[in-house]
Amino acid sequence: MGSPLKVGNSGTLTLGVNGIKELVSRPDGTRQVDDETFKLAVTNIEELLSRSLYGWSAPDKKGREAIDHGEKHFSGFIHLGKVYGVKMTVRVVKESQGGKKLYELDAIEISSLEKGMEWLNKAYSGEPKSKASLSAKATREGMRKEPEWDSHDFTLTPMNLEVQGLFDALYRLGHSFFSQVSKGARFGTTGVNGI
């Protein structure tokens, strides 16, 4: 998996064995799914990335010079009759340092449309609004580096509304809200695969 992987309509990234190991071993106290479901998503990362929708771009939370910005991409899958939404964080670094790199992956069961949208909106609202640069600040304990926000640099882009549509479609898929016509009856087929 050291070759370039397609990221929806947003170019490519390179993901090697070390990147996958880092992805799987990174502790995440906010993970929404069990280890089996998470590892299933990681195992199918190539497919999830290729079919993903770009959500938004945001400045690096820590203002690191080597990272231009981060991107959120979204996809989904069905496992054991449950529908999951997937959020993938891609760091965009200088080409000389590898270009785009997959940094995080998270998933959530879309058990209700409200839960899925809340997860999506929480991810968006948690992003920094503009890029920080680190500056030294004197404290009693000594010098400490703190983010200093620069409004003239990279800023948070608006959320792609198609991502909300993806979560709506995933919810409807998992809860059989599609009509017979949308399942292919209009085209003389008996299932989604016939469309």
Side-chain angles (χ1 to χ4, degrees), residues 7-179:
V7 185
N9 292 329
S10 299
T12 61
L13 63 77
T14 303
L15 180 64
V17 174
N18 289 339
I20 294 170
K21 286 180 184 176
E22 183 179 324
L23 198 65
V24 173
S25 65
R26 180 178 294 117
D28 185 355
T30 64
R31 188 175 296 154
Q32 301 287 318
V33 295
D34 60 35
D35 284 344
E36 177 188 346
T37 305
F38 175 76
K39 288 179 181 174
L40 178 69
V42 172
T43 302
N44 290 282
I45 194 66
E46 187 171 356
E47 186 70 20
L48 291 169
L49 280 167
S50 72
R51 297 177 181 269
S52 68
L53 281 176
Y54 165 82
W56 61 82
S57 294
D60 178 50
K61 290 180 181 180
K62 296 181 181 174
R64 293 169 281 204
E65 287 297 317
I67 299 172
D68 184 59
H69 65 277
E71 296 177 351
K72 294 290 194 270
H73 296 268
F74 295 86
S75 193
F77 66 96
I78 299 172
H79 177 57
L80 299 175
K82 296 179 181 178
V83 178
Y84 295 90
V86 178
K87 173 181 67 179
M88 295 162 283
T89 303
V90 174
R91 283 186 176 164
V92 180
V93 297
K94 296 175 183 170
E95 284 298 321
S96 62
Q97 296 175 344
K100 291 185 176 185
K101 296 180 178 184
L102 183 64
Y103 177 68
E104 289 178 330
L105 180 140
D106 197 5
I108 186 172
E109 181 185 349
I110 309 293
S111 58
S112 74
L113 184 56
E114 292 78 21
K115 183 178 177 184
M117 291 298 184
E118 180 183 326
W119 185 69
L120 178 64
N121 290 324
K122 185 177 179 183
Y124 184 75
S125 65
E127 297 285 3
K129 307 305 179 238
S130 60
K131 188 168 185 166
S133 56
L134 295 177
S135 65
K137 182 178 180 181
T139 66
R140 271 187 202 177
E141 296 81 28
M143 297 299 283
R144 180 176 65 210
K145 288 190 174 186
E146 290 188 342
E148 186 176 89
W149 301 101
D150 181 0
S151 62
H152 302 292
D153 216 334
F154 194 91
T155 58
L156 179 64
T157 62
M159 183 189 300
N160 177 359
L161 297 180
E162 290 179 5
V163 174
Q164 293 174 339
L166 169 67
F167 274 69
D168 182 60
L170 288 169
Y171 172 72
R172 291 174 182 275
L173 178 66
H175 294 85
S176 302
F177 283 114
F178 288 103
S179 68

